[in-house]
Amino acid sequence: MAASVAGPEIERLIQLLARLPGLGPRSARRAALHLIKKREALMTPLAGALQVAIDKIQVCKTCGNIDTQNPCTVCTDPRRDPSTIVVVADVADLWALERANATSGRYHVLGATLSPLDGVGPQDLTIDALVARAHESQVSEIVLALNATVDGQTTAHYITDLLQDANVKVTRLAHGVPVGGELDYLDEGTLSAAMRQRTLF
């Protein structure tokens, strides 16, 4: 067993940092050392920002986004199109669409995708709230912006079945060749999806 090179407080900091996605034990040690060296410039403001996040961040009761206000900034933005709801599995997906400036619609965060192997069923997602929103008079389109994985597509089919009696158009993101993609580097599944969903030029 390797000997500890720092006190328990520093070891605890390293252990907590190692729980972050993308950081293993070695990266966590480097990050901890950097924070310690930049204590005044970085560690103190970071600790303050974390405390503010703990105190103020909440889940939006309308869409499931996280923000410091409830309803969130997206839901209260008057420039947003209330007729379109973009369904995503996670807040990270919402943020990705916002970074790309891909839609002016509103969002609905499911919280995950259906995954029987992981024990995630319909009751674990916010599907009931989505169905209720889809029946609101101003909503005309539900965009299923879910991952092109088995779990993502299973979730999309399940939601589509539940929305059959709602007066909305249900669409999904296009699948296929990415912008700037070279055919030689794409996997077979992406190529076959692109061929099936080809459009007029």
Side-chain angles (χ1 to χ4, degrees):
M1 186 168 140
S4 179
V5 295
E9 297 83 5
I10 295 174
E11 286 298 328
R12 174 86 172 129
L13 174 62
I14 293 167
Q15 289 168 6
L16 290 171
L17 289 171
R19 292 185 189 176
L20 294 172
L23 285 184
R26 186 176 288 171
S27 299
R29 286 192 181 281
R30 281 197 296 269
L33 190 58
H34 185 74
L35 286 169
I36 291 165
K37 286 180 179 177
K38 305 279 186 180
R39 200 172 334 181
E40 294 303 318
L42 192 55
M43 188 182 260
T44 302
L46 178 61
L50 288 170
Q51 189 58 55
V52 168
I54 290 167
D55 295 340
K56 295 194 175 181
I57 290 179
Q58 50 193 311
V59 176
C60 176
K61 63 185 176 189
T62 305
C63 74
N65 187 19
I66 55 172
D67 203 339
T68 54
Q69 66 181 49
N70 200 346
C72 72
T73 307
V74 175
C75 287
T76 56
D77 186 346
R79 296 168 297 179
R80 293 279 174 173
D81 179 6
S83 68
T84 303
I85 297 176
V86 181
V87 181
V88 293
D90 194 71
V91 173
D93 301 327
L94 185 157
W95 289 358
L97 288 167
E98 283 299 288
R99 278 195 312 273
N101 200 21
T103 180
S104 63
R106 301 220 168 132
Y107 291 96
H108 188 89
V109 180
L110 295 174
T113 51
L114 294 173
S115 179
L117 291 176
D118 297 323
V120 180
Q123 70 283 355
D124 301 309
L125 308 180
T126 59
I127 294 174
D128 290 343
L130 172 63
V131 172
R133 291 180 73 190
H135 282 84
E136 293 173 0
S137 58
Q138 76 266 26
V139 177
S140 61
E141 182 180 7
I142 302 291
V143 181
L144 300 175
L146 301 171
N147 291 332
T149 60
V150 172
D151 290 345
Q153 296 312 297
T154 300
T155 306
H157 287 296
Y158 182 82
I159 290 171
T160 302
D161 289 344
L162 292 178
L163 294 178
Q164 284 186 350
D165 65 335
N167 189 25
V168 293
K169 175 171 65 172
V170 181
T171 59
R172 69 173 189 173
L173 297 183
H175 299 157
V177 179
V179 174
E182 296 183 31
L183 298 184
D184 189 37
Y185 293 102
L186 298 177
D187 63 275
E188 292 81 7
T190 301
L191 282 173
S192 60
M195 284 301 290
R196 285 195 308 273
Q197 298 172 39
R198 60 191 182 273
T199 58
L200 290 171
F201 190 66

